[in-house]
């Protein structure tokens, strides 16, 4: 295939979890798709036709299906979940035809990671050897599987695939401060701390709510494509441990913790150790709606009953009832229960009426940009394979999985021409069980000559392979 000209389309995907782990994407796509191929070349300088990021901003970063063994869940169900997820993933790749594809996963191995890492290995093998991906002749896979090192373990997985039509792609060596040409397919796991081609960090202990350590952190890689440099950051921020605590204040305590952690990441990737380049940050941000405001709006015409624990004065449950209509229960809230009587409010018009309560990104408006959200909240979906559109009643649905970018990265996105929709920000598997998170993706073209060129004084090792 001839290389594309004038622009390239990368595919960025955010996949919460990993088809081998909890939360993610379990898709029942139809047929197994053939190899993706980019559109015909156009005149102009050679460039990448498309990039897709799976995740939350540029690209696609889905959470792969969980391999944890919940009550009543058997191995065959887990395997079917992975097969469905992969089919849906291949379908998206076929539809978007990216030349550069980035897939960010969180919770690799699931919550039962010690017993589930074998599923991760199978997933990686399936991805690298599938017919649907055979035209991607170069790949880099970085899996943080070293769960025995709890002080460093993040359970993050970053996958990068390069189409054969995309020439001269380089990845940055953070130790040598040089770009190295990418050839072949390579997998890195266990001790990623010793890998010079990335930066990985688990958040400092004091960041963790109640000092309870969990698998939260980030992985950063840097790429140079058609002489355009940019960073890709896989991120997993802190969740809401209790709906009751989240409801107490606006903004919630958890929102403040996530704000602190995201600031830490942005400061780290823009400090003075390396040249500053445009960046994309995508993964599971665990952003939640302002719960106090949501409840006040949904339950404006109700009365609230507070239930206290029998052995203490702690609030154990909130019950909101209609003043009339036989005092019908509208909403019940517990630590891990958010049971609203009408889930359609979260699905109608893709839940966009609730976007006014999605406030956590607003404090970063000077540093981060996100395309308009037009898909339903990405979490928490039922993990019942027959309930692809149903939310669980554990949390208030929210857009946890996002693809964000610096304002300089925004300038890399080629603008629409002739009403052609060349930038797509959407979720995958809207009607299919994908695990408790729906993957989101960003597909776009990068104009030739866009962005910051790779520094000439940072010599590219063209003869060195990765």
């Amino acid at each position: 295939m001839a290389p594309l000209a004038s622009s390239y389309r990368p595919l960025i995907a955010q996949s919460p979890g990993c088809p081998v782990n909890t939360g993610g994407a379990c898709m029942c796509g139809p047929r197994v798709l053939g190899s993706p191929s980019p559109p015909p070349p156009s005149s102009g300088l050679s460039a990448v036709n498309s990039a897709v990021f799976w995740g939350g901003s540029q690209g696609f970063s889905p959470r792969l299906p969980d391999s944890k063994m919940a009550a009543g869940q058997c191995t065959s169900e887990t395997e079917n979940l992975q097969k469905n997820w992969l089919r849906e993933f291949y379908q998206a790749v076929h539809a978007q035809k990216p030349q550069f594809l980035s897939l960010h996963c969180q919770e690799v191995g699931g919550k039962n990671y010690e017993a589930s890492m074998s599923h991760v290995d199978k997933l990686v093998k399936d991805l690298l050897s599938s017919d649907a991906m055979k035209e991607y002749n170069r790949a880099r896979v970085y899996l943080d599987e070293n769960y025995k090192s709890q002080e460093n373990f993040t359970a993050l997985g970053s996958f990068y695939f390069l189409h054969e039509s995309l020439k001269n792609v380089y990845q940055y060596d953070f130790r040598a401060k040089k770009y190295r040409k990418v050839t072949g397919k390579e997998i890195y796991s266990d001790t990623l701390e010793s890998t010079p081609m990335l930066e990985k960090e688990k958040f400092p202990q004091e960041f963790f709510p109640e000092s309870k350590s969990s698998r939260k952190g980030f992985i950063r890689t840097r790429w140079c494509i058609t002489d355009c440099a940019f960073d890709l950051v896989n991120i997993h921020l802190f969740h809401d441990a209790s709906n009751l605590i989240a409801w107490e204040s606006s903004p919630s305590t958890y929102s403040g913790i996530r704000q602190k952690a995201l600031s830490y990441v942005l400061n780290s990737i823009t400090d003075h150790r390396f040249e500053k380049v445009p960046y994309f940050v995508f993964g599971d941000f665990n952003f939640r709606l302002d719960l106090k405001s949501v409840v006040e709006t949904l339950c404006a015409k109700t009365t609230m009953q507070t239930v206290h624990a029998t052995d203490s004065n702690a609030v154990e449950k909130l019950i909101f009832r209609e003043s009339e209509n036989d005092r019908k229960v509208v909403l019940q809230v517990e630590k891990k229960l958010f049971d609203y009587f009408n889930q359609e409010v979260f699905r109608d018009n893709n839940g966009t009426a609730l976007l006014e309560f999605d406030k956590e990104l607003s404090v970063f408006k000077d540093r981060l940009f996100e395309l308009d959200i037009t898909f339903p909240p990405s979490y928490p979906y039922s993990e019942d394979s027959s309930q692809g559109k149903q939310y669980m009643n554990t949390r208030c649905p929210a857009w946890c999985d996002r693809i964000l970018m610096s304002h300089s990265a925004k300038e890399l996105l080629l603008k629409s021409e002739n009403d052609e929709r060349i930038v797509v920000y959407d979720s995958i598997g809207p009607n299919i069980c994908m695990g408790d998170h729906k993957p989101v993706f960003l597909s776009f073209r990068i104009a030739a000559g866009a962005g910051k060129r790779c520094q000439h004084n940072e010599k590219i090792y063209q003869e060195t392979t990765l």
Side-chain angles (χ1 to χ4, degrees):
M1 301 176 73
L4 282 174
S6 79
S7 68
Y8 76 87
R9 177 177 295 278
L11 174 63
I12 299 177
Q14 151 52 25
S15 169
C18 164
V20 291
N21 85 4
T22 175
C26 153
M27 344 189 351
C28 277
R31 63 196 182 289
V32 176
L33 300 165
S35 320
S37 58
S42 59
S43 60
L45 298 175
S46 176
V48 184
N49 167 56
S50 78
V52 175
F53 298 167
W54 289 84
S57 69
Q58 169 153 3
F60 162 70
S61 167
R63 182 178 302 233
L64 301 177
D66 198 344
S67 59
K68 67 177 183 294
M69 305 307 292
Q73 186 176 20
C74 62
T75 302
S76 61
E77 184 177 345
T78 299
E79 291 176 348
N80 287 336
L81 182 64
Q82 287 193 37
K83 289 178 181 178
N84 293 337
W85 190 96
L86 285 170
R87 280 203 301 270
E88 200 76 10
F89 172 75
Y90 295 147
Q91 207 172 15
V93 172
H94 179 78
Q96 300 300 325
K97 298 177 172 55
Q99 289 179 284
F100 181 86
L101 189 154
S102 170
L103 171 63
H104 285 180
C105 301
Q106 302 77 44
E107 293 289 3
V108 169
K111 295 178 181 177
N112 189 22
Y113 46 81
E114 293 186 33
S116 302
M117 283 304 179
S118 60
H119 294 283
V120 178
D121 296 337
K122 183 180 185 303
L123 170 71
V124 173
K125 181 179 178 181
D126 290 345
L127 278 170
L128 294 179
S129 63
S130 70
D131 285 342
M133 302 292 288
K134 66 182 180 181
E135 292 187 6
Y136 293 85
N137 61 352
R138 290 150 294 165
R140 291 293 179 271
V141 178
Y142 301 104
L143 298 171
D144 188 4
E145 297 180 314
N146 189 17
Y147 55 82
K148 294 181 180 179
S149 176
Q150 286 298 317
E151 68 274 15
N152 296 313
F153 183 47
T154 64
L156 293 172
S158 298
F159 300 69
Y160 305 100
F161 302 91
L162 286 65
H163 194 273
E164 61 190 12
S165 63
L166 183 59
K167 310 300 181 184
N168 299 323
V169 177
Y170 301 88
Q171 189 180 356
Y172 194 67
D173 182 325
F174 288 96
R175 186 176 302 160
K177 295 188 176 181
K178 308 289 183 183
Y179 285 95
R180 302 185 185 276
K181 189 171 184 178
V182 180
T183 63
K185 299 179 180 180
E186 296 179 2
I187 302 171
Y188 297 83
S189 60
D190 294 329
T191 54
L192 294 184
E193 288 77 17
S194 62
T195 304
M197 308 311 295
L198 58 79
E199 288 195 315
K200 190 203 85 169
E201 187 172 351
K202 185 175 181 176
F203 289 117
Q205 183 63 38
E206 62 268 21
F207 280 33
F208 289 83
E210 302 175 357
S211 297
K212 293 181 179 179
S213 183
S214 59
R215 303 167 297 280
K216 302 295 189 293
F218 66 97
I219 290 179
R220 168 199 194 184
T221 56
R222 176 168 292 188
W223 302 83
C224 181
I225 302 177
T226 63
D227 209 21
C228 174
F230 54 86
D231 283 351
L232 301 179
V233 181
N234 186 353
I235 191 169
H236 193 184
L237 298 182
F238 303 97
H239 65 282
D240 284 10
S242 169
N243 294 324
L244 294 171
I245 294 176
W247 170 82
E248 288 177 350
S249 61
S250 174
S252 75
T253 298
Y254 303 115
S255 174
I257 294 172
R258 286 188 286 271
Q259 179 181 338
K260 180 180 178 181
L262 182 52
S263 295
Y264 181 86
V265 174
L266 297 181
N267 291 340
S268 176
I269 65 176
T270 58
D271 61 19
H272 298 295
R273 293 172 301 142
F274 305 100
E275 178 198 10
K276 293 182 181 180
V277 299
Y279 56 84
F280 298 88
V281 186
F282 49 110
D284 182 3
F285 291 83
N286 263 313
F287 287 162
R288 306 301 170 97
L289 303 185
D290 187 311
L291 193 60
K292 189 171 185 64
S293 299
V294 170
V295 171
E296 289 174 351
T297 300
L298 294 180
C299 303
K301 298 181 179 180
T302 67
T303 57
M304 184 183 75
Q305 174 188 354
T306 303
V307 179
H308 295 271
T310 55
D311 57 346
S312 70
N313 196 37
V315 175
E316 191 173 64
K317 188 173 187 175
L318 303 174
I319 303 174
F320 296 84
R321 301 177 184 273
E322 292 185 354
S323 301
E324 301 176 352
N325 194 21
D326 295 328
R327 292 185 54 77
K328 173 184 175 182
V329 174
V330 172
L331 172 67
Q332 297 183 75
V333 180
E334 297 178 13
K335 179 179 180 179
K336 294 186 178 181
L337 176 73
F338 187 89
D339 189 5
Y340 187 62
F341 82 107
N342 179 21
Q343 281 203 3
E344 288 303 315
V345 70
F346 303 109
R347 290 189 288 260
D348 286 347
N349 196 25
N350 292 326
T352 51
L354 296 169
L355 280 171
E356 65 174 292
F357 306 111
D358 181 66
K359 303 176 180 179
E360 294 196 31
L361 188 57
S362 61
V363 297
F364 295 97
K365 62 183 179 181
D366 293 335
R367 306 182 74 178
L368 292 170
F369 171 79
E370 181 179 27
L371 292 168
D372 291 339
I373 293 177
T374 59
F375 49 87
S378 64
Y379 171 86
Y381 281 92
S382 169
E383 295 180 288
D384 182 336
S385 59
S386 65
Q387 300 291 332
K389 298 177 66 174
Q390 185 76 14
Y391 288 106
M392 290 189 288
N393 62 359
T394 54
R395 309 287 184 186
C396 177
W399 288 272
C400 291
D401 309 287
R402 317 281 277 262
I403 301 175
L404 312 179
M405 64 195 80
S406 63
H407 290 279
S408 57
K410 173 188 173 184
E411 299 306 313
L412 301 180
L413 278 62
L414 186 67
K415 305 303 185 293
S416 298
E417 300 172 342
N418 302 321
D419 295 326
E420 179 188 7
R421 192 184 181 199
I422 59 176
V423 178
V424 183
Y425 185 30
D426 207 348
S427 60
I428 291 180
N431 302 313
I432 304 298
C433 173
M434 304 287 289
D436 58 349
H437 290 251
K438 294 284 188 188
V440 302
F441 75 94
L442 176 65
S443 176
F444 60 93
R445 294 181 182 177
I446 296 182
K452 190 164 188 175
R453 299 172 64 85
C454 301
Q455 284 284 338
H456 293 294
N457 61 359
E458 292 184 332
K459 179 183 176 184
I460 292 178
Y461 281 5
Q462 303 221 19
E463 71 283 1
T464 302
T465 59
L466 283 175

